[in-house]
Short mmCIF file of all heavy atoms in Angstrom, two decimals:
data_model
loop_
_atom_site.label_atom_id
_atom_site.label_comp_id
_atom_site.label_asym_id
_atom_site.label_seq_id
_atom_site.Cartn_x
_atom_site.Cartn_y
_atom_site.Cartn_z
N GLU A 1 0.78 -1.19 -0.01
CA GLU A 1 -0.03 -0.07 -0.04
C GLU A 1 0.84 1.24 -0.03
O GLU A 1 0.43 2.28 0.66
CB GLU A 1 -0.99 -0.01 1.15
CG GLU A 1 -1.99 -1.17 1.02
CD GLU A 1 -3.13 -1.13 1.98
OE1 GLU A 1 -3.35 -0.07 2.61
OE2 GLU A 1 -3.68 -2.12 2.24
N VAL A 2 1.80 1.25 -0.76
CA VAL A 2 2.66 2.48 -0.97
C VAL A 2 2.23 3.30 -2.20
O VAL A 2 2.14 2.67 -3.18
CB VAL A 2 4.18 2.21 -1.21
CG1 VAL A 2 5.01 3.37 -1.43
CG2 VAL A 2 4.75 1.50 0.04
N ALA A 3 1.68 4.50 -1.97
CA ALA A 3 1.12 5.21 -3.10
C ALA A 3 2.07 6.47 -3.24
O ALA A 3 2.95 6.68 -2.46
CB ALA A 3 -0.30 5.73 -2.67
N GLY A 4 1.83 7.20 -4.37
CA GLY A 4 2.71 8.37 -4.63
C GLY A 4 2.74 9.42 -3.48
O GLY A 4 3.84 9.97 -3.08
N SER A 5 1.60 9.58 -2.73
CA SER A 5 1.62 10.57 -1.63
C SER A 5 2.17 10.00 -0.29
O SER A 5 2.63 10.81 0.51
CB SER A 5 0.25 10.96 -1.33
OG SER A 5 -0.63 9.86 -0.92
N SER A 6 2.40 8.71 -0.18
CA SER A 6 2.87 8.21 1.02
C SER A 6 4.31 7.67 0.90
O SER A 6 4.83 7.38 1.94
CB SER A 6 1.89 6.98 1.55
OG SER A 6 2.00 5.88 0.53
N GLY A 7 4.80 7.76 -0.22
CA GLY A 7 6.20 7.27 -0.52
C GLY A 7 7.05 8.30 -1.15
O GLY A 7 7.75 9.04 -0.63
N PRO A 8 6.90 8.31 -2.52
CA PRO A 8 7.78 9.28 -3.29
C PRO A 8 7.65 10.72 -2.95
O PRO A 8 8.60 11.40 -3.01
CB PRO A 8 7.36 8.86 -4.81
CG PRO A 8 6.53 7.75 -4.84
CD PRO A 8 6.07 7.44 -3.36
N ALA A 9 6.40 11.11 -2.65
CA ALA A 9 6.22 12.56 -2.31
C ALA A 9 6.92 12.95 -1.07
O ALA A 9 7.61 14.03 -1.04
CB ALA A 9 4.75 12.86 -2.11
N LEU A 10 7.17 12.06 -0.19
CA LEU A 10 7.91 12.36 1.04
C LEU A 10 9.44 12.44 0.67
O LEU A 10 10.19 13.37 1.08
CB LEU A 10 7.74 11.33 2.12
CG LEU A 10 6.33 11.16 2.65
CD1 LEU A 10 6.23 9.99 3.60
CD2 LEU A 10 5.81 12.45 3.36
N ILE A 11 9.92 11.57 -0.24
CA ILE A 11 11.28 11.69 -0.73
C ILE A 11 11.44 12.98 -1.54
O ILE A 11 12.50 13.58 -1.41
CB ILE A 11 11.70 10.39 -1.49
CG1 ILE A 11 11.52 9.13 -0.62
CG2 ILE A 11 13.00 10.49 -2.21
CD1 ILE A 11 11.62 7.85 -1.39
N LEU A 12 10.58 13.24 -2.45
CA LEU A 12 10.59 14.45 -3.27
C LEU A 12 10.69 15.68 -2.32
O LEU A 12 11.54 16.57 -2.71
CB LEU A 12 9.35 14.55 -4.09
CG LEU A 12 9.30 15.54 -5.08
CD1 LEU A 12 10.31 15.45 -6.23
CD2 LEU A 12 7.77 15.73 -5.68
N ARG A 13 10.02 15.74 -1.29
CA ARG A 13 10.08 16.89 -0.38
C ARG A 13 11.52 16.98 0.27
O ARG A 13 12.05 18.03 0.28
CB ARG A 13 9.03 16.82 0.73
CG ARG A 13 9.05 17.92 1.72
CD ARG A 13 7.94 17.81 2.61
NE ARG A 13 8.07 18.98 3.56
CZ ARG A 13 7.27 18.91 4.72
NH1 ARG A 13 6.50 17.95 4.97
NH2 ARG A 13 7.41 19.97 5.52
N SER A 14 12.03 15.90 0.55
CA SER A 14 13.40 15.91 1.20
C SER A 14 14.54 16.30 0.12
O SER A 14 15.37 17.10 0.45
CB SER A 14 13.69 14.50 1.76
OG SER A 14 12.86 14.11 2.79
N VAL A 15 14.21 15.78 -1.03
CA VAL A 15 15.24 16.16 -2.18
C VAL A 15 15.15 17.66 -2.38
O VAL A 15 16.30 18.28 -2.47
CB VAL A 15 14.91 15.41 -3.38
CG1 VAL A 15 15.66 15.96 -4.57
CG2 VAL A 15 15.18 13.96 -3.28
N PHE A 16 13.99 18.34 -2.49
CA PHE A 16 13.94 19.73 -2.69
C PHE A 16 14.46 20.48 -1.47
O PHE A 16 15.12 21.47 -1.70
CB PHE A 16 12.53 20.15 -3.03
CG PHE A 16 12.18 20.02 -4.48
CD1 PHE A 16 11.31 19.09 -4.95
CD2 PHE A 16 12.70 21.02 -5.42
CE1 PHE A 16 11.04 18.95 -6.35
CE2 PHE A 16 12.49 20.91 -6.77
CZ PHE A 16 11.65 19.92 -7.20
N ASN A 17 14.27 20.06 -0.19
CA ASN A 17 14.81 20.65 0.94
C ASN A 17 16.32 20.72 0.78
O ASN A 17 16.96 21.80 1.04
CB ASN A 17 14.44 19.96 2.17
CG ASN A 17 13.02 20.26 2.58
OD1 ASN A 17 12.44 21.30 2.14
ND2 ASN A 17 12.46 19.41 3.47
N GLU A 18 17.02 19.64 0.28
CA GLU A 18 18.36 19.52 0.13
C GLU A 18 18.88 20.49 -1.07
O GLU A 18 19.87 21.19 -0.83
CB GLU A 18 18.80 18.16 -0.04
CG GLU A 18 20.28 17.91 0.01
CD GLU A 18 20.90 18.36 1.36
OE1 GLU A 18 20.30 18.26 2.45
OE2 GLU A 18 22.10 18.89 1.35
N LEU A 19 18.17 20.25 -2.19
CA LEU A 19 18.50 21.17 -3.30
C LEU A 19 18.51 22.66 -3.05
O LEU A 19 19.24 23.40 -3.61
CB LEU A 19 17.72 20.83 -4.53
CG LEU A 19 17.88 19.36 -5.19
CD1 LEU A 19 16.83 19.20 -6.25
CD2 LEU A 19 19.29 19.29 -5.86
N ASN A 20 17.52 23.06 -2.27
CA ASN A 20 17.26 24.53 -2.10
C ASN A 20 17.94 25.02 -0.81
O ASN A 20 17.89 26.28 -0.55
CB ASN A 20 15.77 24.76 -1.97
CG ASN A 20 15.12 24.50 -3.15
OD1 ASN A 20 15.60 24.75 -4.39
ND2 ASN A 20 13.88 23.89 -3.20
N ARG A 21 18.76 24.20 -0.10
CA ARG A 21 19.47 24.65 1.12
C ARG A 21 20.44 25.74 0.78
O ARG A 21 21.19 25.59 -0.25
CB ARG A 21 20.19 23.49 1.73
CG ARG A 21 20.85 23.80 3.06
CD ARG A 21 21.67 22.70 3.59
NE ARG A 21 20.77 21.49 3.66
CZ ARG A 21 20.96 20.59 4.59
NH1 ARG A 21 21.95 20.55 5.31
NH2 ARG A 21 20.07 19.56 4.77
N GLY A 22 20.33 26.77 1.38
CA GLY A 22 21.32 27.95 1.28
C GLY A 22 21.10 28.71 -0.01
O GLY A 22 21.96 29.46 -0.41
N ARG A 23 19.96 28.58 -0.63
CA ARG A 23 19.68 29.47 -1.96
C ARG A 23 18.21 29.98 -1.75
O ARG A 23 17.37 29.38 -1.09
CB ARG A 23 19.83 28.68 -3.10
CG ARG A 23 18.73 27.81 -3.51
CD ARG A 23 18.90 27.16 -4.89
NE ARG A 23 17.64 26.70 -5.54
CZ ARG A 23 16.89 27.36 -6.36
NH1 ARG A 23 17.08 28.65 -6.64
NH2 ARG A 23 15.75 26.84 -6.78
N ASP A 24 17.99 31.12 -2.29
CA ASP A 24 16.68 31.76 -2.37
C ASP A 24 15.93 31.16 -3.46
O ASP A 24 16.34 31.15 -4.59
CB ASP A 24 16.77 33.28 -2.48
CG ASP A 24 17.41 34.01 -1.25
OD1 ASP A 24 17.20 33.50 -0.24
OD2 ASP A 24 18.08 34.99 -1.46
N VAL A 25 14.80 30.69 -3.14
CA VAL A 25 13.84 30.19 -4.15
C VAL A 25 13.02 31.31 -4.82
O VAL A 25 12.52 32.17 -3.98
CB VAL A 25 12.89 29.08 -3.57
CG1 VAL A 25 11.88 28.58 -4.65
CG2 VAL A 25 13.74 27.92 -3.04
N ARG A 26 12.98 31.32 -6.15
CA ARG A 26 12.27 32.38 -6.79
C ARG A 26 10.97 31.92 -7.32
O ARG A 26 10.83 30.68 -7.50
CB ARG A 26 13.08 33.00 -7.91
CG ARG A 26 14.40 33.70 -7.48
CD ARG A 26 15.17 34.09 -8.57
NE ARG A 26 15.30 33.12 -9.69
CZ ARG A 26 16.27 32.95 -10.57
NH1 ARG A 26 17.30 33.78 -10.48
NH2 ARG A 26 16.39 32.01 -11.35
N PRO A 27 10.00 32.83 -7.58
CA PRO A 27 8.82 32.44 -8.22
C PRO A 27 9.01 31.83 -9.55
O PRO A 27 10.00 32.10 -10.19
CB PRO A 27 7.90 33.74 -8.36
CG PRO A 27 8.67 34.73 -7.52
CD PRO A 27 10.10 34.24 -7.29
N LEU A 28 8.11 30.95 -10.13
CA LEU A 28 8.26 30.46 -11.44
C LEU A 28 8.15 31.53 -12.50
O LEU A 28 7.41 32.50 -12.28
CB LEU A 28 7.13 29.37 -11.63
CG LEU A 28 7.28 28.11 -10.73
CD1 LEU A 28 6.08 27.21 -10.90
CD2 LEU A 28 8.64 27.37 -11.02
N TYR A 29 8.76 31.23 -13.57
CA TYR A 29 8.71 32.24 -14.67
C TYR A 29 7.24 32.17 -15.25
O TYR A 29 6.61 31.13 -15.43
CB TYR A 29 9.66 31.78 -15.81
CG TYR A 29 9.45 32.57 -17.14
CD1 TYR A 29 9.90 33.91 -17.22
CD2 TYR A 29 8.87 31.87 -18.22
CE1 TYR A 29 9.70 34.51 -18.52
CE2 TYR A 29 8.67 32.58 -19.33
CZ TYR A 29 9.05 33.88 -19.51
OH TYR A 29 8.93 34.59 -20.65
N PHE A 30 6.70 33.40 -15.51
CA PHE A 30 5.33 33.53 -16.06
C PHE A 30 5.42 34.24 -17.41
O PHE A 30 5.62 35.37 -17.46
CB PHE A 30 4.42 34.24 -15.04
CG PHE A 30 2.95 34.09 -15.22
CD1 PHE A 30 2.27 32.99 -14.89
CD2 PHE A 30 2.37 35.08 -16.02
CE1 PHE A 30 1.02 32.79 -15.10
CE2 PHE A 30 0.98 34.96 -16.27
CZ PHE A 30 0.27 33.85 -15.83
N SER A 31 5.24 33.40 -18.49
CA SER A 31 5.42 33.91 -19.76
C SER A 31 4.32 35.03 -20.19
O SER A 31 3.13 34.87 -19.88
CB SER A 31 5.34 32.85 -20.82
OG SER A 31 5.31 33.38 -22.15
N ASP A 32 4.70 36.07 -20.90
CA ASP A 32 3.71 37.06 -21.40
C ASP A 32 2.99 36.44 -22.56
O ASP A 32 1.94 37.03 -22.86
CB ASP A 32 4.55 38.30 -21.96
CG ASP A 32 5.15 39.06 -20.87
OD1 ASP A 32 4.69 38.97 -19.72
OD2 ASP A 32 6.17 39.78 -21.17
N ALA A 33 3.24 35.26 -23.02
CA ALA A 33 2.51 34.70 -24.10
C ALA A 33 1.27 33.98 -23.60
O ALA A 33 0.43 33.53 -24.33
CB ALA A 33 3.40 33.55 -24.78
N LEU A 34 1.13 33.82 -22.27
CA LEU A 34 -0.06 33.16 -21.64
C LEU A 34 -1.31 34.14 -21.76
O LEU A 34 -1.07 35.38 -21.35
CB LEU A 34 0.26 32.74 -20.26
CG LEU A 34 1.28 31.58 -20.15
CD1 LEU A 34 1.62 31.27 -18.70
CD2 LEU A 34 0.76 30.32 -20.95
N ILE A 35 -2.36 33.62 -21.93
CA ILE A 35 -3.69 34.38 -22.00
C ILE A 35 -4.67 33.78 -21.03
O ILE A 35 -4.87 32.49 -21.05
CB ILE A 35 -4.26 34.39 -23.39
CG1 ILE A 35 -3.30 35.00 -24.44
CG2 ILE A 35 -5.58 35.10 -23.33
CD1 ILE A 35 -3.69 34.96 -25.84
N LYS A 36 -5.24 34.61 -20.16
CA LYS A 36 -6.25 33.98 -19.24
C LYS A 36 -7.61 34.02 -19.87
O LYS A 36 -8.01 35.00 -20.42
CB LYS A 36 -6.33 34.83 -17.95
CG LYS A 36 -7.24 34.24 -16.86
CD LYS A 36 -6.98 34.78 -15.51
CE LYS A 36 -7.20 36.18 -15.36
NZ LYS A 36 -7.21 36.67 -13.88
N ARG A 37 -8.24 32.79 -19.81
CA ARG A 37 -9.68 32.73 -20.27
C ARG A 37 -10.48 32.00 -19.37
O ARG A 37 -10.07 31.18 -18.54
CB ARG A 37 -9.62 31.83 -21.65
CG ARG A 37 -8.99 32.51 -22.77
CD ARG A 37 -9.89 33.55 -23.40
NE ARG A 37 -9.35 34.12 -24.59
CZ ARG A 37 -8.76 35.30 -24.78
NH1 ARG A 37 -8.64 36.13 -23.78
NH2 ARG A 37 -8.30 35.79 -25.91
N ARG A 38 -11.78 32.35 -19.36
CA ARG A 38 -12.77 31.73 -18.44
C ARG A 38 -13.31 30.53 -19.30
O ARG A 38 -13.65 30.66 -20.42
CB ARG A 38 -13.91 32.71 -18.16
CG ARG A 38 -14.73 32.23 -17.02
CD ARG A 38 -14.43 33.12 -15.79
NE ARG A 38 -15.17 32.66 -14.74
CZ ARG A 38 -14.50 32.37 -13.59
NH1 ARG A 38 -13.17 32.43 -13.43
NH2 ARG A 38 -15.21 31.86 -12.64
N VAL A 39 -13.23 29.36 -18.65
CA VAL A 39 -13.66 28.11 -19.24
C VAL A 39 -14.70 27.39 -18.46
O VAL A 39 -14.73 27.52 -17.24
CB VAL A 39 -12.46 27.18 -19.70
CG1 VAL A 39 -11.62 27.70 -20.66
CG2 VAL A 39 -11.79 26.67 -18.42
N CYS A 40 -15.52 26.60 -19.07
CA CYS A 40 -16.51 25.75 -18.40
C CYS A 40 -15.70 24.62 -17.79
O CYS A 40 -14.88 24.00 -18.41
CB CYS A 40 -17.54 25.29 -19.37
SG CYS A 40 -18.62 26.50 -19.97
N ILE A 41 -16.10 24.30 -16.60
CA ILE A 41 -15.43 23.11 -15.86
C ILE A 41 -15.84 21.82 -16.62
O ILE A 41 -15.03 20.87 -16.75
CB ILE A 41 -15.74 23.11 -14.42
CG1 ILE A 41 -15.09 24.42 -13.65
CG2 ILE A 41 -15.30 21.86 -13.75
CD1 ILE A 41 -15.46 24.60 -12.32
N ASP A 42 -17.07 21.59 -16.95
CA ASP A 42 -17.55 20.38 -17.43
C ASP A 42 -17.06 19.97 -18.81
O ASP A 42 -16.86 18.84 -19.13
CB ASP A 42 -19.11 20.27 -17.36
CG ASP A 42 -19.80 21.31 -18.14
OD1 ASP A 42 -19.11 22.36 -18.53
OD2 ASP A 42 -21.02 21.15 -18.45
N ASP A 43 -16.80 20.96 -19.81
CA ASP A 43 -16.48 20.67 -21.07
C ASP A 43 -15.41 21.52 -21.67
O ASP A 43 -15.09 21.35 -22.85
CB ASP A 43 -17.70 20.65 -22.06
CG ASP A 43 -18.24 21.99 -22.29
OD1 ASP A 43 -17.64 23.01 -21.77
OD2 ASP A 43 -19.17 22.11 -23.08
N ALA A 44 -14.77 22.38 -20.88
CA ALA A 44 -13.72 23.23 -21.33
C ALA A 44 -13.96 24.21 -22.37
O ALA A 44 -13.10 24.73 -22.99
CB ALA A 44 -12.50 22.41 -21.61
#
């Protein structure tokens, strides 16, 4: 009964803690090419 949230996600969190140790994490890049649109949830 090992699922993604009970096994690999915990390892993933530890890996990121180690990778980001001693550095400032920045927000993700947000491209100007993206356009926000309102969509229906049931059929997009």
Side-chain angles (χ1 to χ4, degrees):
E1 297 189 19
V2 175
S5 61
S6 63
L10 301 174
I11 295 170
L12 185 68
R13 182 177 178 189
S14 296
V15 169
F16 272 107
N17 283 342
E18 190 60 33
L19 289 172
N20 294 322
R21 184 184 303 208
R23 79 175 198 93
D24 291 329
V25 178
R26 296 182 309 212
L28 296 175
Y29 170 74
F30 196 79
S31 173
D32 292 335
L34 294 174
I35 299 171
K36 184 164 60 170
R37 291 283 188 257
R38 196 106 185 122
V39 298
C40 291
I41 292 172
D42 59 342
D43 69 2

